Amino acid sequence: MSIAYVLVQCLIGHEMEVLRDLLEINFVKEGKGTFGYYDILVKIEAPSEKQIENVVTKIRKIQNVITTTTLSVIKEQD
């Protein structure tokens, strides 16, 4: 199982709708609103790194998402 965390920045005032859209994506296991430069923290769990990449691509295409930063977990530390 591959795991990644994605930090999402979105347009002001659209955080809740972006979060709702994020939680509908397959392999997104958790999403939480945050304070600071990024607005949402997302946890992805998928069978492969390729599927993680596909999910990140979907996240980046969500309306009102400005930028993302992806943090892949080192497999040996799961």
Side-chain angles (χ1 to χ4, degrees):
M1 183 69 61
S2 296
I3 299 172
Y5 294 92
V6 181
L7 300 164
V8 179
Q9 186 182 36
C10 55
L11 288 176
I12 294 172
H14 295 277
E15 297 85 358
M16 290 308 295
E17 65 194 56
V18 169
L19 182 57
R20 279 192 298 273
D21 291 344
L22 289 166
L23 293 173
E24 292 179 8
I25 298 173
N26 197 24
F27 301 122
V28 170
K29 299 300 179 187
E30 190 173 356
K32 300 287 184 185
T34 60
F35 291 112
Y37 185 76
Y38 293 100
D39 302 300
I40 301 169
L41 173 65
V42 178
K43 182 179 182 181
I44 303 170
E45 292 181 17
S48 70
E49 288 294 322
K50 183 64 177 168
Q51 288 170 309
I52 295 277
E53 291 174 22
N54 292 338
V55 172
V56 172
T57 299
K58 288 179 184 178
I59 290 172
R60 292 173 57 100
K61 292 180 179 179
I62 292 175
Q63 186 173 0
N64 297 312
V65 169
I66 297 170
T67 189
T68 64
T69 297
T70 303
L71 307 169
S72 295
V73 173
I74 300 169
K75 286 190 179 239
E76 294 79 24
Q77 295 180 353
D78 290 5

